[in-house]
Amino acid sequence: MPNRLAHATSPYLLQHADNPVDWYPWGEEAFAEARRRDVPILLSIGYAACHWCHVMARESFADEQTAQIMNANFVNVKVDREERPDVDAVYMEATQAMTGHGGWPMTVFATPDGEPFYCGTYFPREHFQRLLLGISHAWRTDRTGVVGQGKRVAEALSAPRTLPSGPPPSAQVLEQAVARLAAEYDTVNGGYGTAPKFPPSPVMEFLLRHHARVSDGAETEALRMVRHTAEAMARGGIYDQLAGGFARYAVDATWTVPHFEKMLYDNALLLRCYTHLWRQTGDELARRVAVETADWMVAELRTAEGGFASALDADSEGEEGRYYVWTPAQLRDVLGEEDGAWAAELFGVTEQGTFERGTSVLQLRADPDDRERYAYVRDRLRKARANRVPPARDDKVVTGWNGLAIAGLAEAGALLDRPDLVERAREAARLVVERHYADGRLVRVSRDGVPGTSAGVLEDYANLAEGLLALHAVTGEIRWVGVCGELLETVLTRFTDGSGGFYDTADDAEALFNRPREFTDDATPSGWSAAAGALLSYAALTGSFRHREAAEAALGVVSTLAEKTPRFAGWGMAVAEALLAGPVEIAVVGPKGDPVAEELHRTALLATTPGTVVSRGDGVNDGGIGLLEGRTLVDGRPAAYVCRNFTCRLPATTTEELTAELARA
């Protein structure tokens, strides 16, 4: 019989709706029941595409004996970390503080007041059963000790912390950050660290911007690291060699074997990185990967309403990676002996296998000489794979991640001459603005077009603002700037900490035992640094000193991170590069469809100066956008104005003139 999760909107919660566990969704009802029964809360946090979440679900949550122990001794609460990142953040901090590490599924035992007293991640069934009984016994026999532990943890984590502050990073600090990144760089395999290895998207964006600011035309160490990492990932198993798109991370140092789940946020960020790498260098591999990643996002993650789903699962038919891996025999079955042997050598498929059970993940360590044969083989394998049982899709639409997708698709569509991708970005923006946004406030998710109830967090406001600014730059549509201004007003009034920084939740959000705030970047930009970036770009577009001042204040913490741990300040340093560069502002004016105006606009979008802000107008009506004010046609002809802090050079009326002005900017 279905439990209380049967009416949830989260696909992750719905995966557990038929468990024998008497699950509650997060909410006051669960905590009230724990107080009434005088039992602890057992909080289980995960997400729909999580492999080890599925393992624990099969081993423990679907097991009648384990469920009986859970139901008898606890009030059990299931949380989708993607739907409630605030809940995930505060309990992840507790888990890391208690155990020294974190991950999902996250398993937390808490008092009926929500104070955590014992934390962990995945537990095998026998271990988990012993833990359940031990925790229950301690609750009955040592209540004072257990409750005291929870209060001490909550007090320690909620104690006021002094955060580093000061001016934004200087040119010298950013140069030193590049040197530190170079010292930590994996010169053999690309990327940073050993295993597991995650795509360093924010760091790559910083390095591209740094190269653009300091290079005199020669390749810098910053650009070399980006090119090497981008190629290593694109040729490894972390990249789907048949259909495009990246897995969340590699379990090894060589990018060979992925953890097979595919996340929207990774692919949106990497789409932008590869597009920007192509813009910087003209690299054809970067262009191909950008196009394939965009096409994969549209084909596999786009929802019927026009938004983008969160993820594809790592598992299919109960096995991790089953959909993606091959044996030599399977290649021969699809392609025949000769082409099968050729494909096995090309894609690194061996009898021993690179994954499990003698299977291999496809790699493409070098481009084939016979491109026609490669295209034929790839097409045949892709069609054959389509007959397998595909991984499940988590089809909830997350506001912030769709903001990242809007930015990536809009820019890729404009730069790579794919207007259909711009239209997909526009449709996603319409969906999020019309369904997720009302009265100045965002909700975190929707599903099937129906908004959820979880409040938007800082990354939702900041990433959506970033996406809308990118969409305006590409389309010239005014409405996106207005919404962006409203979103950032909420950021400045509801999320600020009063000292130049931000909290992850609004001041009127549900109160947890600790109000989360994160200023370090990881696989994605933190809400803090994403807000700084959107504020800076909006200031450059509108001339708002208030927004620029807020961006500069938020970047103070980045100076310390850049000096000590630059791998975890990638997006913050990228924003700092834009600040040092101005950022450059380009106003392009001319009638829509005019060939000269369109060429000037494309040239502006191809500008590589860090964080360049572009606005497109008709030269008659500025639409209330400061950068377009007073920027008129020149003798009736389209023109482009290159500016810094709204101080502009002479207008350019040809692409040659604009290119020359940008070179001097």
Side-chain angles (χ1 to χ4, degrees), residues 21-79:
V21 177
D22 186 16
W23 291 114
Y24 283 74
W26 176 271
E28 177 53 32
E29 182 185 3
F31 290 95
E33 179 66 6
R35 289 190 290 270
R36 186 190 70 79
R37 288 178 52 196
D38 192 27
V39 296
I41 292 284
L42 195 169
L43 180 62
S44 177
I45 303 177
Y47 58 105
C50 167
H51 169 69
W52 287 104
C53 299
H54 298 328
V55 174
M56 192 165 178
R58 289 194 298 268
E59 290 180 348
S60 294
F61 304 147
D63 178 64
E64 291 284 353
Q65 183 182 21
T66 307
Q68 288 175 8
I69 300 172
M70 293 172 66
N71 295 339
N73 297 283
F74 303 92
V75 169
N76 306 292
V77 178
K78 179 62 74 173
V79 172

Side-chain angles (χ1 to χ4, degrees), residues 432-443 461 486-487 490:
V432 175
V433 170
E434 292 171 6
R435 305 285 179 92
H436 291 213
Y437 184 60
D439 301 322
R441 306 306 289 272
L442 287 168
V443 295
Y461 287 84
E486 295 170 7
L487 294 171
T490 301

Side-chain angles (χ1 to χ4, degrees), residues 306-376:
F308 288 87
S310 299
L312 292 188
D313 209 326
D315 298 9
S316 55
E317 299 184 82
E319 293 182 15
E320 183 183 8
R322 183 181 178 92
Y323 182 75
Y324 300 100
V325 296
W326 296 82
T327 65
Q330 289 173 329
L331 294 180
R332 292 193 297 270
D333 286 344
V334 174
L335 301 169
E337 288 293 330
E338 187 174 341
D339 281 340
W342 186 82
E345 182 176 357
L346 178 68
F347 290 120
V349 178
T350 67
E351 293 294 343
Q352 297 76 24
T354 57
F355 184 49
E356 299 172 352
R357 301 176 299 278
T359 62
S360 294
V361 184
L362 300 189
Q363 305 169 66
L364 187 68
R365 293 302 179 181
D367 286 337
D369 294 331
D370 190 337
R371 303 294 298 179
E372 188 174 332
R373 189 180 193 184
Y374 165 68
Y376 166 77

Side-chain angles (χ1 to χ4, degrees), residues 87-161:
V87 174
D88 177 66
V90 297
Y91 287 103
M92 179 60 75
E93 188 177 18
T95 300
Q96 291 172 334
M98 289 186 188
T99 68
H101 65 275
W104 300 277
M106 191 190 333
T107 306
V108 177
F109 296 89
T111 70
D113 293 326
E115 296 170 338
F117 59 83
Y118 190 93
C119 301
T121 53
Y122 162 77
F123 295 102
R125 180 170 55 199
E126 291 74 15
H127 185 173
F128 188 50
Q129 289 181 353
R130 291 195 299 271
L131 178 63
L132 292 170
L133 294 172
I135 293 288
S136 178
H137 177 76
W139 180 259
R140 293 192 306 271
T141 61
D142 186 21
R143 178 72 57 86
T144 301
V146 171
V147 172
Q149 166 79 348
K151 290 192 177 301
R152 286 190 295 274
V153 170
E155 289 170 0
L157 295 177
S158 59
R161 287 178 288 176

Side-chain angles (χ1 to χ4, degrees), residues 230 273-275 277-278 281 283-291 416:
C273 278
Y274 280 88
T275 299
L277 177 59
W278 172 82
T281 65
D283 186 290
E284 280 304 312
L285 176 63
R287 180 189 179 96
R288 175 174 69 81
V289 171
V291 169
L416 304 177

Side-chain angles (χ1 to χ4, degrees), residues 302-308 397-399 402-403 405-407 409-410 419-438 442-443 446 449-451 464 467-469 471-472 475 477-481 483 487:
R302 188 168 178 268
T303 68
E305 297 75 30
F308 288 87
V397 173
V398 176
T399 299
N402 272 257
I406 291 163
L409 289 167
D420 58 308
L421 299 180
V422 177
E423 184 58 28
R424 301 294 85 77
R426 184 185 282 114
E427 290 164 352
R430 286 186 191 131
L431 172 72
V432 175
V433 170
E434 292 171 6
R435 305 285 179 92
H436 291 213
Y437 184 60
L442 287 168
V443 295
S446 68
V450 179
L464 180 57
L468 297 181
L469 288 171
L471 186 58
H472 166 74
T475 65
E477 293 165 356
I478 302 298
R479 76 174 286 203
W480 309 122
V481 180
V483 176
L487 294 171

Side-chain angles (χ1 to χ4, degrees), residues 461-594:
Y461 287 84
N463 287 339
L464 180 57
E466 175 82 12
L468 297 181
L469 288 171
L471 186 58
H472 166 74
V474 165
T475 65
E477 293 165 356
I478 302 298
R479 76 174 286 203
W480 309 122
V481 180
V483 176
C484 177
E486 295 170 7
L487 294 171
L488 293 178
E489 184 62 27
T490 301
V491 167
L492 292 177
T493 57
R494 292 290 187 178
F495 289 87
T496 182
D497 66 0
S499 301
F502 301 100
Y503 288 101
D504 290 338
T505 55
D507 57 3
D508 58 352
E510 177 186 354
L512 304 172
F513 74 82
N514 185 22
R515 189 177 177 189
R517 62 193 317 194
E518 183 56 73
F519 50 84
T520 60
D521 304 316
D522 203 350
T524 61
S526 67
W528 183 310
S529 59
L535 287 162
L536 182 64
S537 296
Y538 184 78
L541 188 64
T542 63
S544 169
F545 178 74
R546 174 180 175 234
H547 289 82
R548 184 181 178 91
E549 192 175 45
E552 292 180 358
L555 290 175
V557 71
V558 177
S559 296
T560 300
L561 291 172
E563 291 174 348
K564 295 181 178 180
T565 56
R567 283 171 56 188
F568 301 100
W571 196 259
M573 294 190 299
V575 178
E577 287 286 350
L579 181 65
L580 284 174
V584 169
E585 306 142 359
I586 309 175
V588 179
V589 294
K592 279 285 186 183
D594 182 284

Side-chain angles (χ1 to χ4, degrees), residues 536 539-540 543 548 552 579 581-585 627 631 642-648:
L536 182 64
R548 184 181 178 91
E552 292 180 358
L579 181 65
V584 169
E585 306 142 359
L627 181 56
R631 317 298 177 219
V642 179
C643 320
R644 265 201 186 89
N645 297 320
F646 280 61
T647 300
C648 301

